[in-house]
Amino acid sequence: KGALPGSMARWARWAIAAAVGLLVLQQLLMIAFRGGSIAAVHYELRSATSGPDVAPAAQPEVAQPRAARVGGDMYDEGVLLREALTVARPGPDGALDVLLVPVSRTYAHFGLNLLLNFQRLGYEHVLLLAKDEQTCEQVTALSPLPSRCVWDGRWERDLELARRASPWSSICGKGRASTGQCDETSEPAASYRMWLSRWIANARLVALGFDTLMLDLDLVLVDDVYAFLRAPPLDRYSLLFHSESLNDPFGNVQCGLVFARGSGRKGGVVEAVAGFPLRALRLLDTSH
């Protein structure tokens, strides 16, 4: 009941199928048109940007990481000043900060740990001091910072310095006083030789007007040390050490951390730092 006659039902089905077919054809034509338009636009852009008179688009420059470098013998003319200026960080009141760190192959693991510590604190103003060029090459290859390395070549060519230091058996080894040599590479001889070299380097940097922070390899900074060194009450001092022990009744200073304000040149800081290695050598002179 209510069904269409057979012929009318067939015509209705054909009409519906035709309408659906037209809709599908219309969508296909629209897709084809849009695709052709996009292709045409792409062709026009490609033609406009790749012709013989059009320069290729410049590629963005990728910043290359700054690497640590070997500087030279600190006794060669201008080397110490040049390398210190390369790494120095501007501080308050026109000061130039330099972190001076003596390094050796034997204690390379300590050196790498300290450099990673500096990296965490954002310190890049690091000047490394080694005993020779080979050591500089090795430590700069490991450095994660754009540090510079200089070496103390005086030991290799200044026989008088080696002669004066020879009574210090920790530097040149027992029984070496008569040879005039001071080329020990094993510990503790190498570290004690660098102990004297670093004071000479530090004295020259302070005399040049740098604010130096000289550190041993076997320490860790848990915070930005400059925030304390340049805030009351420490900001009024030109030369700062830390104590050998909190319970030390003699008040012996510990040279693992030494901060010297060369920029202010107050309180005889230049003379005090420069006099340290001289006093050590004069003491050794009396031991001959």
Side-chain angles (χ1 to χ4, degrees), residues 176-276:
R176 303 283 308 265
S178 60
T179 66
Q181 298 177 356
C182 195
D183 57 357
E184 293 289 329
T185 57
S186 59
E187 298 298 344
S191 289
Y192 278 108
R193 188 171 88 164
M194 289 306 303
W195 181 86
L196 189 59
S197 294
R198 70 176 185 169
W199 277 102
I200 297 172
N202 196 28
R204 295 182 63 193
L205 289 170
V206 173
L208 288 169
F210 292 96
D211 284 7
T212 62
L213 180 59
M214 186 171 67
L215 300 174
D216 278 352
L217 288 178
D218 57 344
L219 58 76
V220 172
L221 301 176
V222 298
D223 205 344
D224 178 16
V225 67
Y226 290 100
F228 300 94
L229 295 174
R230 289 201 166 107
L234 299 180
D235 59 340
R236 59 184 174 142
Y237 296 100
S238 297
L239 187 58
L240 291 164
F241 300 82
H242 64 89
S243 176
E244 181 70 34
S245 170
L246 293 176
N247 300 317
D248 182 6
F250 303 105
N252 290 330
V253 297
Q254 183 19 279
C255 298
L257 184 153
V258 181
F259 181 59
R261 303 182 199 273
S263 59
R265 297 177 178 267
K266 298 177 181 178
V269 60
V270 177
E271 292 78 6
V273 177
F276 196 93

Side-chain angles (χ1 to χ4, degrees), residues 134-215:
Q134 183 181 11
T135 304
C136 267
E137 291 174 348
Q138 292 176 340
V139 297
T140 52
L142 293 174
S143 177
L145 303 174
S147 50
R148 294 299 182 103
C149 184
V150 297
W151 66 88
D152 185 352
R154 188 178 172 192
W155 292 98
E156 305 300 328
R157 58 178 180 263
D158 191 340
L159 296 181
E160 177 61 18
L161 175 65
R163 185 196 65 78
R164 294 182 69 187
S166 60
W168 196 350
S169 60
S170 296
I171 294 182
C172 293
K174 295 180 178 179
R176 303 283 308 265
S178 60
T179 66
Q181 298 177 356
C182 195
D183 57 357
E184 293 289 329
T185 57
S186 59
E187 298 298 344
S191 289
Y192 278 108
R193 188 171 88 164
M194 289 306 303
W195 181 86
L196 189 59
S197 294
R198 70 176 185 169
W199 277 102
I200 297 172
N202 196 28
R204 295 182 63 193
L205 289 170
V206 173
L208 288 169
F210 292 96
D211 284 7
T212 62
L213 180 59
M214 186 171 67
L215 300 174

Side-chain angles (χ1 to χ4, degrees), residues 15-117:
I16 293 172
V20 171
L22 287 173
L23 288 173
V24 172
L25 180 61
Q26 182 183 23
Q27 294 297 318
L28 291 174
L29 288 173
M30 291 178 66
I31 292 173
F33 175 76
R34 286 200 302 268
S37 300
I38 294 172
V41 171
H42 175 71
Y43 176 78
E44 293 294 334
L45 288 174
R46 186 176 60 185
S47 300
T49 57
S50 61
D53 298 327
V54 179
Q59 297 297 319
E61 294 185 3
V62 178
Q64 297 298 321
R66 293 178 295 159
R69 295 184 183 277
V70 175
D73 187 336
M74 73 173 187
Y75 281 99
D76 288 346
E77 185 176 357
V79 168
L80 187 62
L81 175 60
R82 181 193 67 212
E83 300 306 314
L85 286 173
T86 299
V87 300
R89 183 181 73 172
D93 302 324
L96 288 175
D97 291 330
V98 171
L99 274 167
L100 179 62
V101 180
V103 292
S104 67
R105 282 172 280 177
T106 309
Y107 290 147
H109 54 302
F110 283 124
L112 179 58
N113 184 70
L114 185 59
L115 291 173
L116 290 171
N117 181 205

